[in-house]
Amino acid sequence: MVTTYTPAEAAERTGLSLDALRYYEREELLPPIARTAGGRRVYCDDDLAWAGIITCLRDAGLGIADLREFTRLLRTEAPGRDSDERVAFLGRRRQELLERRRCLDAALTVLAEKIDYYSLQVAE
């Protein structure tokens, strides 16, 4: 039996707002969400997993256009070439993220040095 979740439960489990879930669905970043006979959305574990992936990639700095490209690559049926495209896509994003981390690490070092410097001045 498939476990299903109301929109409110899905929002709570994913940490996303109802608006964000609907937006991701509208942008086709999530797979089509099942509906009850009355037309209400019903989420399953796979939908929540996708929402988690999308959230992770958003946190990594990917924009909506990047996410559309990623989901397009995942929906492509042809093997081989498309897998290469997926790996290349993710590899580029990984490199961008590593560069951002390098810049953030440098900024953190400068801030730590300034905190130490000004802390010594206050202590004198």
Side-chain angles (χ1 to χ4, degrees):
M1 179 169 184
V2 174
T3 304
T4 59
Y5 307 94
T6 66
E9 291 169 332
E12 183 178 333
R13 287 178 174 269
T14 62
L16 296 169
S17 68
L18 291 170
D19 288 337
L21 284 171
R22 285 190 296 268
Y23 177 73
Y24 289 165
E25 181 185 359
R26 206 171 39 251
E27 292 297 320
E28 298 181 354
L29 302 177
L30 293 174
I33 304 302
R35 305 268 180 160
T36 66
R40 295 192 51 88
R41 290 173 176 83
V42 179
Y43 294 85
C44 68
D45 287 324
D46 286 346
D47 300 328
L48 301 188
W50 265 110
I53 292 168
I54 297 302
T55 300
C56 178
L57 294 175
R58 287 286 289 159
D59 290 346
L62 273 72
I64 296 300
D66 288 329
L67 292 170
R68 279 192 205 112
E69 176 66 10
F70 177 68
T71 55
R72 183 195 66 77
L73 290 171
L74 290 177
R75 290 185 183 124
T76 304
E77 295 295 326
R81 183 184 61 83
D82 296 320
S83 291
D84 292 344
E85 288 181 56
R86 292 172 195 148
V87 170
F89 176 89
L90 292 172
R92 285 190 303 273
R93 295 318 172 277
R94 183 176 184 277
Q95 282 307 118
E96 291 167 5
L97 200 54
L98 288 169
E99 177 59 21
R100 272 186 42 214
R101 182 170 73 180
R102 188 192 66 71
C103 291
L104 287 172
D105 286 343
L108 286 168
T109 298
V110 169
L111 287 173
E113 291 169 356
K114 292 301 176 193
I115 289 168
D116 289 346
Y117 175 78
Y118 292 119
S119 294
L120 287 174
Q121 283 189 337
V122 170
E124 293 176 357

